[in-house]
C-alpha cells in the first residue's frame, strides 16, 4: 500500500522533481547562496584587486630599494651588478624575489578568512541555518559543500592574483637587469601554493564560524590566530635558551608561511613539514566543527 | 503521518517536552494548541530533526525526518518565518533551497505565484513584513510538494485574505490525503481549520481528540438564568455537583444542571425566571478549561471575561 501511494504521488509531483537530495544539488545550493549576495560578489572582486594592489606595492618598494642602492653605488663610482642586487635579498630573508607572487597574501587571508567565517555564522545570525538543515538534514553535506566552495574560490582568487602580481613584477625587475621570469626557482611554486594556504585559512574560518556560531567572535579568533599570535610568538624568541627560538615556526601562520618558501634552512622546518603542520591545524578545526554541527541543536 | 513516542526534550533544568506520545494522521488537519512555552515549537523542531530529543523518538511517514532520501518531498515545514538570510532575495532563497533536491526552477516560480509573492520575489527578504515573511516561509514549505505539512503559527501577521488563503490551503492539502499539522494561538482560526486537536501544556499532552469532542466533552453544560430572586434560586440549586455563579444582580450561571430541571426547581418554589439560555461552549472555553493549570506564563493584567470565570461560586447552606 505504501508503494502504491508513493508511485501515485511521484506522478503528481512532476513539477517538484523526484531526485531527492544529491551532493551535486547541495553544492549548487551553496553556490547560489554565496553568489546571490551582492556583498559577497563585491567583496570577492575587491579582494582580488587588493591582493594584486598590495603585491604591486611590494614590487614598488623592492624596486625603489634596489634603485636607490644602485644610485648610491653609481655616485660612489661603482656599478651594481644584477647579481649583487639579487644577493641583497638572500634566501630565507623573507624578501626573496621568487616570493613576490604572494606579496599580497595577508590581505587575502584576512578577507577570505573572514568571508569564510561569515558564510556559516551569518546563517546562524539570520536563522537561515534552520532552512539549510531542513533541506539537508544530514547537515554534513551542507558543511562539506560550503568548505569545497570556499576552498576553490580562495584558491582561484589567490592564484589569479599571484600570477597577476608576478606579471607586474617581472618587467620591473627585468628593467634592472635582474633575471626574473616564470622559470626562476620558486616562482611557479609560489604561484600555485599561495592559494592552498589561503584555502586552508578559509577552512579554518568556516570551522570557527560553525563552532562559535557568531560572526564577530569567529573573525576575532581568526585574526588572533593568524595575525596576533604571529606577533606574540616573536616575543618567545626573547626568552633565554635555544628552545623558544624554535617554537614560533610551529604556529599556524608561520608553518603555513614556511610552506610557501623553498629550500632547506638549518634549524628551520622544511617547506613540506610546514605544509603538513598547517594541514594538521586545518583538520584540528575542521573535524570538531563537523562533529559539533552534526550533534548540536539549531 | 507523524508518530511521536515518549518524546522528551530537556534544556538544562527545564523540561520543555515531557514524555509525549501522539499520532498525527493523514487526510485531516491536526491542530496543535497550547499556551506560550508549552512545548509546541520544541516538539515541531524535534520532528524536523533540528533539535535532538533527550529521549523518545519521532518519525514522519515512517522514518525519522533526516533518514528520508528526499526530505523536502516528505515534509514541508514553516517553523520560523525568519529562517531566511536577510540580504538574499526571496527568489534566490527558494532557488537555493530547491537546488538541494534538484527541484526545477519552474516549481520555484509556481510556489511564488501560489503564495502571492510575485511582486516582491526579487527583493531582499530582510525588508519583508511579518506577513510577507510568513508567505515566503509557506512557499518554502510547499517547494517539494510534500506529503506532510508542518506549520508553526502560519497565520501570524497575515491579513484577513491571507488567513483565509492559509485555511483553504491546509484544508485542500488535507483533502488530498496528506498530513497537516499546524499550531496556532488563534483559537477561532483553529476551530475553523482543524479536524483534530492535540492540546499541550507544560510539555505534556492534555488532550488528543477530534475537535467536536474537545468542544463538547470538556466543560459541563452551562445555563444562563435571569431571575428576580437570584439569591434564593442560587441557594435552591447549588450543591450536589451543581455550581452556581452570580455575575450580575439578577443573573446566574448554572453548571451541572440542564434548563428543564432548573425550570422545575423554580416553578416548585414559585421563583420568577425570565430567561433560561443554555450556553454553547466554544473551543476557547474548552481550551481555557484544559489549560487553566498548565499555563506557564500567567498574565496578571486580566480583563474582559477572565474575572467572570474566576467569580466565586455561590454555595448553598450559608
Amino acid at each position: 500500500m505504501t508503494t502504491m501511494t508513493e508511485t501515485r504521488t511521484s506522478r503528481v509531483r512532476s513539477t517538484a522533481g523526484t531526485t531527492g537530495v544529491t551532493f551535486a544539488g547541495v553544492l549548487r545550493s551553496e553556490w547560489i547562496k554565496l553568489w546571490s549576495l551582492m556583498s559577497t560578489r563585491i567583496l570577492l572582486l575587491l579582494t582580488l584587486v587588493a591582493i594584486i594592489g598590495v603585491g604591486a606595492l611590494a614590487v614598488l618598494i623592492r624596486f625603489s630599494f634596489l634603485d636607490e642602492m644602485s644610485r648610491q653605488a653609481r655616485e660612489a663610482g661603482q656599478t651594481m651588478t644584477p647579481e649583487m642586487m639579487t644577493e641583497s635579498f638572500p634566501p630565507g630573508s623573507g624578501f626573496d624575489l621568487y616570493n613576490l607572487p604572494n606579496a599580497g597574501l595577508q590581505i587575502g587571508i584576512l578577507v577570505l578568512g573572514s568571508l569564510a567565517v561569515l558564510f556559516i555564522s551569518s546563517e546562524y545570525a539570520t536563522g537561515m541555518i534552520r532552512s539549510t538543515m531542513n533541506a539537508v538534514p544530514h547537515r554534513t553535506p551542507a558543511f562539506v559543500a560550503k568548505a569545497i566552495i570556499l576552498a576553490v574560490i580562495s584558491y582561484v582568487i589567490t592564484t589569479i592574483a599571484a600570477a597577476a602580481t608576478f606579471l607586474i613584477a617581472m618587467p620591473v625587475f627585468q628593467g634592472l637587469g635582474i633575471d626574473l621570469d616564470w622559470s626562476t626557482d620558486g616562482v611557479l611554486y609560489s604561484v600555485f601554493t599561495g592559494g592552498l594556504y589561503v584555502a586552508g585559512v578559509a577552512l579554518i574560518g568556516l570551522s570557527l564560524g560553525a563552532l562559535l556560531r557568531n560572526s564577530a567572535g569567529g573573525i576575532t579568533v581568526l585574526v588572533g590566530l593568524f595575525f596576533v599570535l604571529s606577533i606574540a610568538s616573536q616575543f618567545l624568541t626573547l626568552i633565554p635558551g635555544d628552545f623558544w627560538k624554535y617554537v614560533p615556526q610551529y604556529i599556524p601562520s608561520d608553518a603555513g608561511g614556511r610552506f610557501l618558501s623553498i629550500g632547506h634552512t638549518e634549524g628551520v622546518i622544511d617547506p613540506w613539514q610546514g605544509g603538513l603542520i598547517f594541514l594538521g591545524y586545518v583538520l584540528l578545526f575542521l573535524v570538531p566543527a563537523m562533529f559539533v554541527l552534526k550533534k548540536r541543536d539549531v | 503521518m507523524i508518530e511521536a513516542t515518549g518524546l522528551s526534550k530537556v534544556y538544562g533544568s527545564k523540561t520543555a517536552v515531557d514524555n509525549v506520545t501522539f499520532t498525527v494522521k493523514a487526510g485531516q488537519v491536526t491542530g496543535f494548541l497550547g499556551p506560550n512555552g508549552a512545548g509546541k515549537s520544541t516538539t515541531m523542531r524535534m520532528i524536523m530533526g533540528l533539535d535532538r530529543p533527550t529521549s523518545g523518538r519521532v518519525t514522519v511517514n515512517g522514518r525519522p525526518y533526516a533518514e528520508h532520501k528526499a526530505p523536502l518531498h516528505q515534509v514541508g515545514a514553516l517553523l520560523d518565518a525568519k529562517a531566511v538570510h536577510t540580504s538574499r532575495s526571496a527568489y534566490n532563497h527558494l532557488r537555493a533551497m530547491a537546488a538541494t533536491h534538484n527541484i526545477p526552477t519552474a516549481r520555484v516560480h509556481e510556489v511564488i505565484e501560489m503564495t502571492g509573492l510575485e511582486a516582491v520575489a526579487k527583493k531582499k527578504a530582510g525588508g519583508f513584513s511579518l506577513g510577507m515573511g510568513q508567505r515566503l516561509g509557506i512557499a518554502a514549505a510547499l517547494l517539494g510538494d510534500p506529503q506532510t505539512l508542518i506549520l508553526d503559527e502560519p497565520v501570524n501577521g497575515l491579513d484577513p485574505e491571507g488567513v483565509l488563503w492559509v485555511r483553504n490551503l491546509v484544508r485542500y492539502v488535507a483533502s488530498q490525503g496528506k498530513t497537516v499539522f499546524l499550531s496556532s494561538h488563534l483559537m477561532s482560526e483553529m476551530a475553523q481549520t482543524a479536524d483534530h486537536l492535540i492540546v499541550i501544556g507544560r510539555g505534556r499532552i492534555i488532550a488528543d481528540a477530534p475537535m467536536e469532542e474537545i468542544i463538547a466533552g470538556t466543560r459541563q453544560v452551562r445555563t444562563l438564568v435571569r431571575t428576580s430572586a437570584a439569591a434564593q434560586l442560587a441557594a435552591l440549586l447549588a450543591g450536589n455537583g451543581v455550581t452556581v455563579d452570580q455575575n450580575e444582580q439578577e443573573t446566574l450561571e448554572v453548571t451541572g444542571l440542564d434548563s428543564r430541571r432548573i425550570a422545575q426547581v423554580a416553578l416548585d418554589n414559585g421563583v420568577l425566571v425570565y430567561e433560561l439560555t443554555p450556553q454553547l461552549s466554544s473551543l476557547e472555553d474548552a481550551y481555557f478549561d484544559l489549560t487553566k493549570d498548565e499555563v506557564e506564563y500567567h498574565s496578571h493584567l486580566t480583563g474582559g471575561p477572565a474575572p467572570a470565570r474566576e467569580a466565586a461560586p455561590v454555595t448553598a447552606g450559608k
Side-chain angles (χ1 to χ4, degrees):
Chain A
M1 185 178 150
T2 320
T3 4
M4 241 177 71
T5 331
E6 274 170 10
T7 23
R8 184 152 40 86
T9 49
S10 67
R11 190 155 37 79
V12 173
R13 77 166 86 102
S14 54
T15 55
T18 51
T19 66
V21 181
T22 60
F23 186 69
V26 177
L27 209 55
R28 202 153 47 81
S29 169
E30 293 298 334
W31 178 256
I32 291 169
K33 281 192 207 167
L34 187 79
W35 220 241
S36 61
L37 295 178
M38 179 68 95
S39 53
T40 311
R41 294 204 297 268
I42 294 171
L43 195 71
L44 289 176
L45 187 71
L46 289 180
T47 310
L48 185 66
V49 173
I51 300 175
I52 299 171
V54 172
L57 208 63
V59 169
L60 184 72
I61 291 166
R62 283 172 216 200
F63 169 77
S64 311
F65 177 67
L66 290 175
D67 201 40
E68 179 65 17
M69 274 198 353
S70 60
R71 195 182 58 80
Q72 284 176 357
R74 263 199 313 279
E75 279 173 3
Q78 296 166 339
T79 32
M80 203 179 172
T81 61
E83 288 72 33
M84 287 164 72
M85 289 186 194
T86 318
E87 278 159 18
S88 69
F89 297 120
S93 67
F95 291 101
D96 315 79
L97 291 177
Y98 76 84
N99 243 339
L100 272 173
N102 290 327
L105 206 68
Q106 296 299 315
I107 287 291
I109 289 169
L110 188 63
V111 185
L112 291 167
S114 303
L115 180 80
V117 173
L118 286 170
F119 194 29
I120 192 152
S121 66
S122 71
E123 290 208 13
Y124 282 102
T126 58
M128 177 67 199
I129 194 75
R130 289 189 287 275
S131 294
T132 303
M133 299 315 190
N134 269 356
V136 190
H138 277 303
R139 302 184 182 185
T140 313
F143 185 79
V144 173
K146 279 183 195 294
I148 291 174
I149 285 170
L150 283 173
V152 168
I153 283 188
S154 301
Y155 186 79
V156 168
I157 287 182
T158 311
T159 307
I160 292 173
T165 308
F166 192 69
L167 282 175
I168 295 168
M170 218 163 34
V172 171
F173 291 97
Q174 282 170 349
L176 290 170
I178 294 174
D179 189 21
L180 181 71
D181 59 31
W182 295 107
S183 63
T184 304
D185 263 0
V187 167
L188 281 179
Y189 180 80
S190 287
V191 169
F192 289 110
T193 51
L196 290 178
Y197 178 48
V198 178
V201 176
L203 293 182
I204 291 178
L206 178 72
S207 307
L208 287 171
L211 287 166
L212 300 175
R213 304 196 279 188
N214 177 292
S215 307
I219 293 172
T220 305
V221 174
L222 189 79
V223 169
L225 209 54
F226 283 93
F227 294 90
V228 182
L229 191 62
S230 168
I231 297 163
S233 72
Q234 294 310 309
F235 290 106
L236 287 179
T237 59
L238 300 177
I239 300 172
D242 274 351
F243 174 75
W244 296 102
K245 293 180 176 48
Y246 297 111
V247 173
Q249 59 180 332
Y250 295 104
I251 69 169
S253 54
D254 289 28
R258 180 66 188 131
F259 170 58
L260 304 183
S261 52
I262 55 167
H264 175 79
T265 310
E266 207 46 51
V268 179
I269 50 171
D270 280 339
W272 67 270
Q273 290 169 323
L276 279 183
I277 292 169
F278 182 67
L279 182 67
Y281 279 115
V282 172
L283 293 176
L284 195 66
F285 286 92
L286 207 55
V287 172
M290 282 172 75
F291 181 77
V292 160
L293 186 87
K294 181 111 180 137
K295 295 283 168 205
R296 219 156 32 182
D297 292 347
V298 291
Chain B
M1 175 110 124
I2 303 168
E3 287 170 289
T5 321
L7 201 60
S8 294
K9 180 71 185 179
V10 180
Y11 295 110
S13 61
K14 191 176 163 18
T15 304
V17 176
D18 190 1
N19 195 21
V20 151
T21 299
F22 62 86
T23 302
V24 179
K25 292 191 195 74
Q28 62 181 19
V29 177
T30 303
F32 198 25
L33 208 56
N36 291 335
K40 299 189 296 288
S41 296
T42 306
T43 303
M44 286 183 160
R45 292 160 52 77
M46 284 193 282
I47 298 171
M48 295 307 289
L50 293 176
D51 280 7
R52 187 174 291 268
T54 307
S55 63
R57 174 184 159 87
V58 59
T59 61
V60 195
N61 307 334
R63 284 180 199 179
Y65 178 69
E67 282 170 26
H68 283 289
K69 284 197 176 64
L72 288 186
H73 294 316
Q74 292 296 334
V75 189
L78 160 74
L79 295 189
D80 176 1
K82 292 196 173 66
V84 177
H85 196 298
T86 41
S87 308
R88 196 173 287 126
S89 72
Y91 171 67
N92 280 325
H93 170 73
L94 293 171
R95 219 159 52 92
M97 297 277 291
T100 58
H101 284 57
N102 303 297
I103 295 170
T105 315
R107 177 66 184 171
V108 172
H109 289 289
E110 219 169 87
V111 295
I112 286 174
E113 204 178 302
M114 281 168 77
T115 49
L117 286 171
E118 297 100 321
V120 294
K122 297 282 166 83
K123 294 207 169 79
K124 283 184 182 179
F128 279 18
S129 64
L130 183 55
M132 282 298 172
Q134 291 284 12
R135 283 169 188 266
L136 178 54
I138 294 169
L142 294 174
L143 209 50
D145 194 10
Q147 291 303 300
T148 297
L149 203 54
I150 297 179
L151 307 173
D152 195 3
E153 299 280 357
V155 300
N156 217 358
L158 286 184
D159 50 25
E161 184 262 327
V163 172
L164 185 65
W165 171 73
V166 169
R167 190 188 306 156
N168 291 335
L169 174 80
V170 297
R171 297 237 46 99
Y172 173 74
V173 170
S175 75
Q176 300 287 98
K178 297 176 180 180
T179 309
V180 180
F181 191 39
L182 88 158
S183 80
S184 176
H185 68 279
L186 297 174
M187 266 159 305
S188 54
E189 187 47 44
M190 195 63 101
Q192 290 180 74
T193 313
D195 306 302
H196 191 96
L197 267 189
I198 295 175
V199 183
I200 187 170
R202 291 207 186 168
R204 292 198 193 91
I205 302 289
I206 43 188
D208 182 351
M211 177 68 77
E212 312 84 66
E213 218 171 279
I214 290 211
I215 291 176
T218 50
R219 182 174 266 246
Q220 287 176 291
V221 180
R222 282 179 305 140
T223 310
L224 183 81
V225 184
R226 290 189 201 276
T227 166
S228 56
Q232 188 194 348
L233 187 61
L236 289 164
L237 294 172
N240 207 12
V242 180
T243 51
V244 183
D245 294 341
Q246 182 167 7
N247 301 329
E248 290 165 47
Q249 192 82 59
E250 301 200 331
T251 308
L252 298 175
E253 205 175 80
V254 182
T255 312
L257 210 60
D258 64 19
S259 38
R260 191 188 168 86
R261 295 278 306 281
I262 297 169
Q264 189 63 57
V265 172
L267 180 64
D268 292 349
N269 294 279
V271 172
L272 172 70
V273 169
Y274 58 92
E275 186 182 341
L276 205 55
T277 316
Q279 303 289 287
L280 289 175
S281 57
S282 63
L283 174 60
E284 194 160 350
D285 289 322
Y287 172 79
F288 278 118
D289 241 34
L290 282 167
T291 60
K292 63 182 174 227
D293 303 323
E294 310 289 343
V295 181
E296 183 86 2
Y297 309 104
H298 273 290
S299 161
H300 294 291
L301 272 175
T302 42
R309 227 187 304 281
E310 282 155 24
V314 179
T315 41
K318 259 196 187 157

